[in-house]
Amino acid sequence: MYTQSFNVPDGAGKTVPLAPSTEDPALQAAFDARIDADGRIEPQDWMPEAYRKTLVRQISQHAHSEIVGMLPEGNWISRAPSLKRKAILIAKVQDEGGHGLYLYSAAETLGTSRDQMLEGLHSGRAKYSSIFNYPTLTWADVGVIGWLVDGAAIMNQVPLCRCSYGPYARAMVRVCKEESFHQRQGYEALLVMMQGTAEQREMVQDAVNRWWWKCLAMFGPPDADSPNSAQGMRWGIKRVSNDELRQKFVDATVPQARVLGVTLPDPDLKWNEERQHYDYGQIDWNEFWETVNGNGPCNKERLATRVKAHNEGQWVRDAALAYAEKQKARSIKEAA
Amino acid sequence: MKPAIDYLLHLADNALVLGQRNAEWCGHGPILEEDIALSNVSLDLIGQARLLYQLVASLKGGNCTEDRLAYFRDTHEFRNYTLLELPHHGPLSGYAQSSMDYGTTIVRNFLYSALMALLWEALEKSANADLAAIAGKSLKEVRYHLRHSRDWLVRLGDGTDESHARVQAALDHLFPYTQEFWAQSPAEAQAIAAGIGVDVTTLQADWDAIVDAALAEATLVRPPVGGYVTEGKQGIHSEHLGFLLAEMQSLARAHPNGSW
Ligand SMILES: [Fe+2]
Ligand SMILES: [Fe+2]
C-alpha cells in the first residue's frame, strides 16, 4: 500500500538540498531533456544525485509502509470471523509483503541495499506511512482499511505509474492492480456486514468514524505547505498535487459511503455546485504531525515489532548464508 | 456416512489448525520472502480445510456450513493430530508464553508434509469421489510445502552451530508426536473399511525413507520415540488447542447471527 503522497524528510526533519548545480552540465541537460519529453530514466542512465536520493527515500519509505502495513491487518488474521474472510485477509497481507519486495528491488536499482534500507527503518530514521500507526480495534477496521486506506493509496499511486523512474513506475503498475482488488474486497466485506446485525452495522460506522480523517491526512499537507512538491513535480516523480488527490478521493468516496449506508464523520461535507466538488472540513494537522514524528498511538509498537522479527530471524538468515557458502565450497571442490 | 464424516473432519481439522498456526508468522517472518512463503502454505491449508468442511456440511445437510464446523465446535470435537496445534516453540504449558522459533515451524511442516504427500496421493483413489478430487488438488500443494520445509530443514541443520542446535532441539521436541500418525483410531478403521480412507501404516516405510534422507542431508539425528502417544485425532488434545480455538472462534461466536 501506501506511499505517503509527499516526501517526509527522514531523520530530524531537514530537507535534502535539491539544487543539482554541481553536476556535469551536458549530462544534466540530457537528463532535463528526457524529463521534459516525459521519457523514462533507467538504472544505467546518468541522474543527478538529488534525484537519486529523493527516489531512494521515497521508494524505501513506500516499501517500509508496505511491510509495516502488514501489522495492523495481520492483527485480525487469527480472529477472522469466517474461513473465506481469513483466506482473503491472509492473501491481502501477503500481497502487501509482495509489494514490499518489488519496491525494495526497485530501490536497489539505485544502489542502496535492502539491508541498508531496513537499517534505516529499524533505527527509526526512515519514515513509513503514518496511517499504520493507528490501531485496528475491530474486525470492521479490516474492511475499512481496504476500502479507504487502500482506496487512498490507489489515488496516490496511480499517478506514480507514470513516474519518470522506470523501475518504480513498473512496480507501481503491478502494485496498483492489486491495491484496487484490495479496495473492492474491503468494500464488499463492509457491504455484507451492513446487511448483517445491528451490532455489525455499528461496528462498521465506528470504524469509519475512526479512519476517515486519518485517510484524508494520508494525502499530505495542503499544497501551500508542501515544500518538496515543486521539485518532485519538476522531476516527474510527483504528478498530481496533494490537495487535488485528496479532493478526488473525497469525491469518489462520498457516493460509495451512501451506497454502503454509513455517514462520513464531517458535518462540513457537502456538494459545492460552483466547484463541482465536495467541500470538506478542517483536517487536524497537529495530530497528523505528532504521529508522523513518532508520537502516535502505535508508532513504538509497530517499529518494535519489526525490529523483534528482524532480530529473532537473524539466526535463520545466518544459517541460510552459511549453508549457501558451504554449498559453494562443495561445488568448487567437486569441480576441482 | 458417519465414518466418512469423522474421517473428513480429521483431515479438515489438520489443515485448518496448521493453517492457523502458520499464519501466525504473517508479518513476523525471519525474512520477507519467508513471510510470503508461509502465508502461501497457510492459504493452501485453509483452502483444503474449506473444501473438506464443505464436503462434510453437504453430507450432514440441514444448516451445517464450513463455518459452523470451524467456529462452533469445541476442543474435544476437533480431530487434528496434536502435533499440529502446538505453538511454534519448545515444550511449555498451555498458558506459558514464548517467542516463535522458526526451527519448530519448519520441522513440523516437514514431518506433516512428508506424511501428507503420501496420504493425499493414496487418497486420490478414495471411494469417495469428492475426497479423491480434493486429494488431487492438495497433493500438488503439499509437494510444494514438502519441498519448502525440506529445503529449510537442510539449510538450518547444515547451517551454523546455532541453527543446527535449534533445529535438532525442535526435532527432539516434535518427533514423538509423529507416533500418533501410526496409531489407528476407530474413525480411521471405519473409513478404511468403507474404502474412503487409507491405512496410514502402509505409508510408514515410505515416510521413514523421506524423513531419514532429509535428516541425513541436514546432518540431524533422528530422535528415538516411545512413551506417551498423543490422541488428538480422537479429540484428546494438548493444552494448546483450547487457546488456539478461543482466539480463532472469538469473533464468530460473539456474533453468532452475523454475516461476514
Ligand atoms: Fe500494498
Ligand atoms: Fe493493499
Side-chain angles (χ1 to χ4, degrees):
Chain A
M1 284 175 228
Y2 326 115
T3 158
Q4 215 128 220
S5 70
F6 60 107
N7 267 313
V8 185
D10 287 340
K14 288 222 177 59
T15 316
V16 177
L18 295 170
S21 58
T22 57
E23 314 276 3
D24 182 318
L27 291 171
Q28 178 74 48
F31 173 86
D32 288 344
R34 174 107 45 111
I35 295 279
D36 289 340
D38 240 354
R40 283 277 160 86
I41 308 297
E42 294 299 333
Q44 66 282 4
D45 295 336
W46 182 90
M47 63 189 85
E49 262 325 289
Y51 175 84
R52 183 187 300 273
K53 270 193 188 153
T54 301
L55 274 171
V56 167
R57 193 174 64 226
Q58 181 170 333
I59 302 172
S60 62
Q61 277 182 14
H62 190 167
H64 298 331
S65 303
E66 300 285 352
I67 60 166
V68 176
M70 295 169 80
L71 300 176
E73 287 186 281
N75 186 39
W76 283 92
I77 289 174
S78 67
R79 293 174 287 171
S82 75
L83 295 183
K84 176 182 154 193
R85 294 294 166 197
K86 188 189 289 290
I88 289 174
L89 183 56
I90 294 172
K92 185 196 181 208
V93 178
Q94 183 192 34
D95 281 349
E96 308 302 359
H99 299 167
L101 270 188
Y102 319 149
L103 287 160
Y104 284 125
S105 304
E108 281 181 322
T109 64
L110 293 157
T112 308
S113 71
R114 200 204 296 187
D115 281 346
Q116 285 172 302
M117 290 183 265
L118 286 178
E119 208 280 315
L121 173 67
H122 296 157
S123 67
R125 262 195 338 275
K127 300 283 188 215
Y128 55 85
S129 180
S130 228
I131 196 78
F132 302 120
N133 290 315
Y134 297 99
T136 48
L137 300 179
T138 72
W139 171 255
D141 289 33
V142 170
V144 168
I145 286 176
W147 174 37
L148 296 179
V149 177
D150 286 72
I154 294 164
M155 292 285 173
N156 271 338
Q157 290 174 13
V158 165
L160 289 172
C161 298
R162 295 182 292 124
C163 161
S164 61
Y165 188 59
Y168 191 27
R170 287 187 289 273
M172 289 325 296
V173 171
R174 205 164 152 187
V175 168
C176 282
K177 265 190 212 141
E178 294 181 357
E179 301 299 14
S180 52
F181 188 58
H182 298 165
Q183 200 247 358
R184 284 199 303 274
Q185 280 179 327
Y187 189 68
E188 190 263 341
L190 296 175
L191 279 173
V192 174
M193 286 179 75
M194 291 301 284
Q195 285 149 22
T197 63
E199 288 88 353
Q200 286 186 295
R201 281 189 286 280
E202 264 169 50
M203 203 192 278
V204 174
Q205 182 63 57
D206 164 70
V208 170
N209 292 348
R210 281 181 290 109
W211 289 96
W212 172 249
W213 288 104
K214 293 156 181 56
C215 290
L216 289 193
M218 270 177 79
F219 294 93
D223 294 345
D225 309 331
S226 296
N228 282 340
S229 281
Q231 181 66 73
M233 294 269 196
R234 170 72 190 85
W235 276 338
I237 295 173
K238 186 158 177 56
R239 298 276 183 178
V240 188
S241 82
N242 296 351
D243 285 336
E244 271 175 81
L245 287 168
R246 188 164 19 240
Q247 185 69 60
K248 237 179 126 182
F249 175 73
V250 172
D251 292 347
T253 307
V254 171
Q256 293 168 359
R258 201 173 298 136
V259 171
L260 191 57
V262 295
T263 308
L264 297 172
D266 179 359
D268 297 326
L269 188 70
K270 52 179 162 302
W271 180 250
N272 183 323
E273 191 55 39
E274 199 179 315
R275 293 201 307 122
Q276 288 293 300
H277 287 295
Y278 284 93
D279 290 336
Y280 53 89
Q282 273 299 313
I283 295 167
D284 182 351
W285 291 110
N286 193 36
E287 186 214 293
F288 173 76
W289 285 113
E290 277 292 336
T291 307
V292 167
N293 290 322
N295 305 314
C298 298
N299 297 58
K300 291 187 183 71
E301 294 175 6
R302 299 289 184 239
L303 193 57
T305 303
R306 285 309 320 159
V307 170
K308 179 177 191 279
H310 187 77
N311 290 345
E312 291 181 356
Q314 187 66 48
W315 70 273
V316 177
R317 298 189 298 277
D318 289 346
L321 200 67
Y323 178 75
E325 277 163 12
K326 282 186 200 176
Q327 284 295 87
K328 210 167 111 193
R330 282 175 201 140
S331 69
I332 290 168
K333 215 170 154 190
E334 251 168 55
Chain B
M1 195 167 86
K2 175 84 168 103
I5 286 175
D6 284 346
Y7 188 70
L8 291 169
L9 281 175
H10 162 58
L11 295 173
D13 293 343
N14 281 343
L16 176 60
V17 168
L18 186 59
Q20 175 82 359
R21 277 294 182 214
N22 279 331
E24 291 171 4
W25 280 104
C26 196
H28 310 285
I31 182 167
L32 192 46
E33 284 82 349
E34 282 309 288
D35 263 75
I36 294 170
L38 274 193
S39 299
N40 252 328
V41 172
S42 187
L43 275 173
D44 287 344
L45 290 168
I46 290 166
Q48 293 169 9
R50 291 187 64 194
L51 292 173
L52 291 160
Y53 287 136
Q54 286 162 13
L55 181 52
V56 172
S58 72
L59 292 173
K60 284 194 149 193
N63 52 10
C64 187
T65 63
E66 57 175 279
D67 288 331
R68 289 312 297 180
L69 293 166
Y71 290 94
F72 293 89
R73 281 181 307 140
D74 287 327
T75 315
H76 69 276
E77 295 167 279
F78 270 71
R79 292 283 177 267
N80 57 283
Y81 295 125
T82 302
L83 172 71
L84 307 180
E85 73 209 30
L86 303 174
H88 303 273
H89 54 66
L92 283 174
S93 290
Y95 67 108
Q97 299 286 321
S98 174
S99 278
M100 293 193 287
D101 170 55
Y102 207 63
T104 306
T105 305
I106 290 298
V107 169
R108 174 181 27 219
N109 284 346
F110 170 70
L111 296 173
Y112 175 71
S113 303
L115 175 70
M116 295 312 289
L118 300 167
L119 185 52
W120 287 128
E121 192 174 6
L123 282 172
E124 281 189 303
K125 298 183 204 78
S126 168
N128 182 312
D130 294 314
L131 177 56
I134 295 170
K137 181 182 178 293
S138 304
L139 180 60
K140 290 192 196 83
E141 295 167 347
V142 76
R143 281 182 176 150
Y144 161 75
H145 305 170
L146 179 58
R147 191 164 359 111
H148 174 263
S149 55
R150 191 191 191 281
D151 285 352
W152 274 101
L153 186 82
V154 171
R155 263 183 220 121
L156 297 178
D158 192 20
T160 62
D161 290 346
E162 183 187 2
S163 70
H164 178 87
R166 276 175 176 265
V167 80
Q168 181 67 55
L171 192 65
D172 293 346
H173 166 43
L174 296 177
F175 210 78
Y177 289 90
T178 62
Q179 294 178 100
E180 187 181 341
F181 293 170
W182 324 117
Q184 201 172 82
S185 68
E188 282 174 307
Q190 286 171 14
I192 295 162
I196 297 162
V198 166
D199 181 356
V200 186
T201 56
T202 62
L203 308 172
Q204 192 170 1
D206 288 338
W207 185 84
D208 280 336
I210 296 172
V211 168
D212 288 341
L215 293 185
E217 205 178 323
T219 70
L220 294 165
V221 179
R222 181 174 172 142
V225 294
Y228 175 62
V229 178
T230 52
E231 298 174 293
K233 63 186 174 188
Q234 300 188 62
I236 300 164
H237 289 276
S238 71
E239 290 177 350
H240 303 284
L241 184 63
F243 287 95
L244 181 147
L245 293 183
E247 185 173 332
M248 186 183 89
Q249 297 175 333
S250 58
L251 182 58
R253 289 189 178 206
H255 300 271
N257 300 315
S259 32
W260 310 103

